[in-house]
Amino acid sequence: MDTASGSASQYRWLTDEEQRVWRSYLHATTLLEDHLDRQLQRDAGMPHIYYGLLVQLAEAPGHRLRMTELAMKVKITRSRLSHAVARLEKTGWVRREDCPSDKRGQFAVLTEKGHEVLRHTAPGHVAAVRQALFERLTPEQQKALGEIMEIVAEGLQPNEAGADLPWLR
């Protein structure tokens, strides 16, 4: 196989087994995300990413986070977060507050209405996660999956200053 920049022998392509694992991973994660999105749309009228935002705020001290910190926690661009928070403000689930120590900074704050939506939605979401993932795996497989995902995440989370990360854009 020749490419514009050289022959295939210059590249370390995936083995057949690596290709099988990679495609299985992509297929499973796409199906899982779609499954969870559909469950949350059906039960609460929100996409999975909005649920994740509400959970982060619910777990934060005072149910509030700086917008930049929230973007970092959910791994999305600040622009996408701003759009999502605007939609959540329209539902009354989140409000923004100015940061007193930084005129440009803002907090996202979970409202009581948002907290109530989480209380109502969480049991169905946990059941969907349990059914789609944990009930299909043995305890040993669950442990291995957790360890594998921690290793992958650790390797992809740059620690150096100035790293090109979406939530810093």
Side-chain angles (χ1 to χ4, degrees), residues 20-129:
R20 184 194 68 74
V21 169
W22 174 241
R23 289 185 182 188
S24 293
Y25 167 82
L26 288 177
H27 188 73
T29 56
T30 299
L31 290 171
L32 180 60
E33 188 63 30
D34 179 67
H35 176 74
L36 297 176
D37 249 353
R38 284 184 287 119
Q39 176 269 319
L40 286 164
Q41 285 289 355
R42 181 180 59 247
D43 292 357
M46 77 173 97
H48 193 213
I49 187 74
Y50 289 14
Y51 181 83
L53 292 169
L54 296 178
V55 167
Q56 289 296 325
L57 291 172
E59 293 175 347
H63 305 298
R64 73 181 56 236
L65 285 170
R66 297 260 325 229
M67 292 285 283
T68 51
E69 187 177 357
L70 184 55
M72 184 178 73
K73 286 182 175 285
V74 295
K75 308 292 189 255
I76 61 175
T77 65
R78 289 182 286 191
S79 172
R80 185 172 178 205
L81 174 65
S82 183
H83 177 73
V85 169
R87 300 272 315 266
L88 291 169
E89 283 179 301
K90 286 181 183 175
T91 63
W93 299 346
V94 170
R95 73 175 181 276
R96 291 184 218 218
E97 293 179 356
D98 290 332
C99 178
S101 63
D102 178 1
K103 296 290 184 200
R104 294 179 300 158
Q106 286 190 317
F107 287 97
V109 182
L110 184 67
T111 65
E112 184 53 42
K113 187 175 178 183
H115 215 266
E116 185 57 36
V117 166
L118 272 179
R119 279 192 290 273
H120 172 75
T121 307
H125 182 65
V126 170
V129 170

